[in-house]
Amino acid sequence: RRQIDYLKEELAKYGWTCREQGFEKETPQGPVRFVNLRARFGKTPNFLDPVRGLLTCHIDTKQGIDGFTGANDGASGAAAILETARILSGEPARAGNLELVFFDGEESFAEHMDSDDGLYGSRHYASAMQQPLPKWMINLDMVGRQGKKIRIPSMTPQSMYRVYSRAIRDLGYSTEEWGVSGYAILDDHVPFMERGVDTLNLIDDFQDGNWWHTSKDNIGILGEKSFQQTGEMTLHILRQLLPDQPAT
């Protein structure tokens, strides 16, 4: 509750209006109440109006791990989106064609995610989308680690791969830090991909090092450079995908 209230307060400072999307799902621990948070730009946006794209992350933290705070795996994506929202408030035409979504329930209740356990928030949101669907979605997951190795999934559509590759070239980023995975990745982009939405999942190589889902994932592993690059990358891609003109 405190986390969602904090996100609402910060987004309101930059002119974004939030709406909670609550739902209940059956889990290995029984029925659980989840809450996604949606945000659109402006004082009285109509959340039923179509938008061109979505910028998303997850805000839940995996349970049952001693000392685990989820600084990178969860919090970093939300932090990057808050700063992106602040900057986009100065570009209202773009902001008006975008919805920000903070997913609950990305993590599984069992040790490992599978088709039935995990991605609760994104599955619910994607299944509830009405036509016309967004053209694309960008998901940020684990984007703040010092020495990060972002690897987009091998199944990324060509349309999104092109804007990603162009951003790497234009920004002069290292392909060691910004590359492509050799395999598919199960994350919050998948339910949207299954509905035909073009997706781009910016995710750290969680097998690089021994921090993932351990107490080592704390604020000490985060780096200013990683957040700066993630923000610049996200903005560069959004500016390619969103026209600089009023939403229609």
Side-chain angles (χ1 to χ4, degrees):
R1 184 71 263 165
R2 290 197 302 271
Q3 179 178 219
I4 288 177
D5 288 344
Y6 171 78
L7 290 169
K8 285 181 173 180
E9 291 167 8
E10 290 299 304
L11 289 163
K13 293 177 185 177
Y14 315 136
W16 296 79
T17 298
C18 294
R19 174 174 291 181
E20 295 182 22
Q21 183 185 51
F23 60 98
E24 188 175 283
K25 292 290 183 182
E26 190 66 33
T27 78
Q29 295 185 5
V32 172
R33 181 74 177 172
F34 298 96
V35 181
N36 292 333
L37 185 67
R38 305 169 61 191
R40 293 204 182 185
F41 191 67
K43 290 185 177 180
T44 56
N46 184 348
F47 280 79
L48 296 177
D49 286 346
V51 289
R52 187 160 185 83
L54 307 173
L55 177 61
T56 70
C57 68
H58 78 91
I59 54 174
D60 59 308
T61 305
K62 191 167 180 65
Q63 302 175 356
I65 304 172
D66 289 342
F68 177 54
T69 58
N72 192 37
D73 189 3
S76 65
I81 289 180
L82 283 180
E83 178 64 358
T84 303
R86 183 190 70 81
I87 293 170
L88 285 177
S89 67
E91 304 175 23
R94 289 196 173 93
N97 249 323
L98 183 68
E99 181 168 307
L100 314 177
V101 191
F102 302 82
F103 296 124
D104 196 3
E106 184 266 355
E107 300 286 6
S108 61
F109 287 84
E111 182 178 359
H112 299 295
M113 186 184 300
D114 60 29
S115 59
D116 297 317
D117 184 20
L119 311 184
Y120 294 97
S122 53
R123 290 184 202 276
H124 178 80
Y125 184 101
S127 67
M129 289 190 305
Q130 301 295 313
Q131 298 287 350
L133 301 179
K135 300 293 185 184
W136 46 263
M137 70 92 76
I138 301 167
N139 187 61
L140 308 184
D141 194 359
M142 299 181 265
V143 292
R145 179 176 66 105
Q146 296 182 56
K148 69 188 181 318
K149 293 182 179 178
I150 301 297
R151 298 290 183 266
I152 67 171
S154 60
M155 300 290 285
T156 300
Q158 279 298 310
S159 61
M160 301 302 279
Y161 175 75
R162 283 195 295 270
V163 295
Y164 175 68
S165 298
R166 178 179 175 181
I168 293 171
R169 292 194 306 271
D170 290 353
L171 295 168
Y173 286 171
S174 164
T175 53
E176 175 66 20
E177 287 192 62
W178 298 87
V180 180
S181 173
Y183 49 87
I185 296 171
L186 185 59
D187 204 358
D188 280 322
H189 66 293
V190 171
F192 295 85
M193 186 172 65
E194 291 173 344
R195 288 212 61 185
V197 176
D198 285 351
T199 63
L200 180 66
N201 193 49
L202 301 179
I203 184 171
D204 197 358
D205 180 0
F206 47 86
Q207 297 179 335
D208 180 53
N210 58 357
W211 55 273
W212 184 60
H213 284 180
T214 74
S215 61
K216 295 179 182 178
D217 185 357
N218 56 54
I219 200 168
I221 71 167
L222 304 181
E224 181 180 342
K225 176 187 173 185
S226 293
F227 279 108
Q228 179 179 344
Q229 286 197 350
T230 297
E232 291 174 345
M233 169 66 70
T234 303
L235 284 166
H236 193 291
I237 292 170
L238 289 174
R239 287 165 178 161
Q240 290 184 69
L241 293 171
L242 288 172
D244 187 15
Q245 60 189 34
T248 57

